[in-house]
């Protein structure tokens, strides 16, 4: 019916149904008219091949139905999982996700955050590289901001979904100490300590109690970069006998370095990961790690973001804390005498 003609408009539907263009607009949005009228208008719109202009709809509603997902580093397999799960969750909530990668670079993170806000994203979900950066306050002032993994001390985020790292890091250190290790290195993807990433504080407090000579070292997510750091740490007179990696992607670098150095795992070196990436179960030996409830994370993030957008209220901050589940496997054993 529409072939060779102009794109159907609200006025065409109005002529077809005998209603005013304003009444048609209300009916298509489910406002101010009866359900019978809404059904009649939608049937006519479908028959005419009418499609709402997304730009006009955004101008009318003040929304783009787009939500940005800004990841700290997609070189981290766990962040890939989270980004994919958030994308599915947002689509299920009728929103359009746009995922971008800061590459573990705080300058790039600031640029991408500003770009997403300038492009009128209804909300920005961020797994921050630098939670203390000053630009988060401006972002929170211009759109709905939801933080994952870290709170944003300088910004009034609409919601924060964070991890119980006190429990996870403490459990991992105690597990290695119970296996007989005394020289432990904790590898973390960032050297920026925050209240929600207190690895260095926990090590300082707990290591003396457990009899551990433990140190904290920053390490990249990528396989070759992580392996290079581990090789450097092993090239000393008294190398660590165990690594506790706060990302499974870093733990994979321990496996690679051990193989290149001719070391047996877990006899020569033990390793613990932190996010139970599925590929860890394929390693020899399988990687001991911690499972975080991604379904709960996605549910909390999506519901908080959508609620804040729909209510237009960002002054009430929601905070959800997720607890890890230990997944012990074969990568931890007593050190060689």
């Amino acid at each position: 019916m529409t072939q060779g003609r102009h794109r159907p408009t609200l006025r065409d539907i109005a002529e077809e149904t005998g209603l005013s263009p304003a009444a048609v607009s209300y009916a298509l949005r489910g406002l101010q008219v009866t359900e019978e009228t809404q059904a009649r208008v939608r049937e006519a719109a479908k028959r005419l091949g009418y499609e709402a202009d997304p730009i006009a709809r955004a101008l009318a509603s003040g929304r783009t139905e787009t939500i940005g997902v800004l990841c700290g580093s997609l070189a981290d397999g766990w962040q890939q999982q989270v980004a994919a799960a958030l994308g599915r969750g947002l689509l299920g909530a009728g929103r359009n996700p746009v995922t971008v990668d800061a590459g573990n670079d705080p300058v790039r993170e600031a640029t991408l955050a500003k770009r997403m806000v300038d492009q009128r994203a209804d909300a920005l979900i961020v797994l921050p590289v630098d939670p203390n950066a000053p630009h988060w306050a401006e972002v929170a002032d211009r759109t709905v901001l939801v933080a994952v993994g870290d709170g944003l001390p300088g910004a009034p985020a609409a919601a924060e979904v964070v991890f119980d790292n006190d429990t996870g890091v403490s459990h991992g250190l105690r597990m290695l100490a119970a296996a007989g290790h005394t020289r432990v290195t904790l590898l973390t993807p960032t050297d920026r300590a925050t209240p929600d990433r207190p690895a260095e504080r926990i090590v300082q407090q707990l290591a003396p109690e457990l009899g551990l000579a433990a140190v904290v070292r920053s390490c990249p997510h990528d396989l070759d970069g992580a392996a290079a750091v581990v090789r450097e740490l092993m090239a000393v007179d008294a190398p660590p006998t165990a690594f506790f990696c706060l990302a499974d992607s870093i733990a994979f670098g321990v496996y690679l370095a051990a193989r290149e150095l001719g070391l047996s795992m877990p006899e020569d070196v033990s390793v613990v990961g932190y996010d139970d990436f599925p590929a860890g179960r394929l390693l020899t030996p399988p990687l001991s790690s911690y499972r975080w409830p991604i379904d709960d994370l996605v549910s909390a993030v999506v519901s908080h973001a959508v609620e804040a957008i729909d209510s237009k209220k960002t002054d009430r901050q929601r905070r959800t804390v997720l607890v890890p589940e230990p997944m012990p496997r074969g990568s931890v054993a007593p050190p060689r005498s």
Side-chain angles (χ1 to χ4, degrees):
M1 184 173 180
T2 62
Q3 186 174 3
R5 297 178 54 192
H6 68 283
R7 178 176 178 175
T9 66
L10 291 178
R11 189 170 296 279
D12 294 324
I13 302 174
E15 293 176 358
E16 184 76 10
T17 58
L19 299 169
S20 68
V24 169
S25 177
Y26 284 132
L28 290 173
R29 289 181 288 159
L31 301 172
Q32 299 186 19
V33 298
T34 65
E35 292 185 3
E36 179 183 356
T37 299
Q38 292 177 35
R40 181 158 62 94
V41 168
R42 288 177 182 139
E43 188 278 329
K46 182 178 180 181
R47 179 160 28 88
L48 292 173
Y50 172 80
E51 294 182 2
D53 185 336
I55 297 177
R57 184 170 55 193
L59 290 172
S61 66
R63 298 182 188 173
T64 62
E65 305 300 330
T66 296
I67 295 180
V69 180
L70 175 51
C71 297
S73 175
L74 286 177
D76 179 7
W78 185 81
Q79 289 197 37
Q80 294 174 25
Q81 275 189 300
V82 170
L86 284 172
R88 292 190 295 269
L90 291 169
L91 286 171
R95 312 299 161 122
N96 302 313
V98 176
T99 301
V100 290
D101 178 17
N104 213 33
D105 181 347
V107 175
R108 183 178 179 186
E109 178 178 70
T111 300
L112 290 172
K114 183 179 184 301
R115 185 176 301 167
M116 296 298 295
V117 174
D118 289 344
Q119 292 175 352
R120 303 285 299 278
D122 295 335
L124 181 62
I125 298 166
V126 57
L127 288 72
V129 176
D130 185 1
N132 296 308
H135 64 264
W136 295 126
E138 179 185 353
V139 172
D141 187 56
R142 296 179 61 192
T143 193
V144 171
L145 180 61
V146 179
V148 178
D150 265 298
L152 304 174
E160 297 174 348
V161 179
V162 300
F163 309 118
D164 185 358
N165 285 308
D166 282 88
T167 294
V169 174
S170 297
H171 185 278
L173 292 175
R174 292 185 186 278
M175 177 172 61
L176 292 171
H181 293 278
T182 58
R183 299 194 304 273
V184 175
T185 295
L186 188 145
L187 298 177
T188 173
T190 178
D191 57 2
R192 298 175 181 86
T194 69
D196 294 309
R197 285 189 284 195
E200 190 165 358
R201 172 181 60 78
I202 296 172
V203 168
Q204 290 173 348
Q205 292 176 352
L206 197 55
E209 172 190 331
L210 299 176
L212 295 177
V215 297
V216 179
R217 171 74 182 267
S218 61
C219 181
H221 283 108
D222 67 283
L223 183 64
D224 291 330
V229 170
V230 174
R231 288 195 302 271
E232 176 190 335
L233 292 169
M234 296 298 291
V236 296
D237 292 336
T241 61
F243 290 92
F244 186 5
C245 306
L246 297 190
D248 281 12
S249 55
I250 293 176
F252 298 161
V254 178
Y255 278 77
L256 176 58
R259 186 178 67 187
E260 292 172 342
L261 295 171
L263 301 174
S264 297
M265 298 180 64
E267 294 81 8
D268 293 320
V269 60
S270 291
V271 60
V272 179
Y274 205 55
D275 40 53
D276 200 33
F277 192 65
R281 301 200 298 272
L282 299 176
L283 299 173
T284 303
L287 176 63
S288 298
S289 193
Y290 291 85
R291 179 172 296 167
W292 300 89
I294 290 182
D295 290 345
D296 293 347
L297 182 155
V298 171
S299 176
V301 169
V302 172
S303 63
H304 291 335
V306 171
E307 180 182 347
I309 293 168
D310 291 346
S311 67
K312 298 183 179 180
K313 293 180 180 179
T314 59
D315 54 344
R316 181 185 177 188
Q317 186 180 81
R318 304 290 186 90
R319 186 175 176 89
T320 301
V321 180
L322 303 177
V323 179
E325 177 187 359
M327 305 300 293
R329 298 191 180 97
S331 62
V332 175
R336 287 192 195 275
S337 300

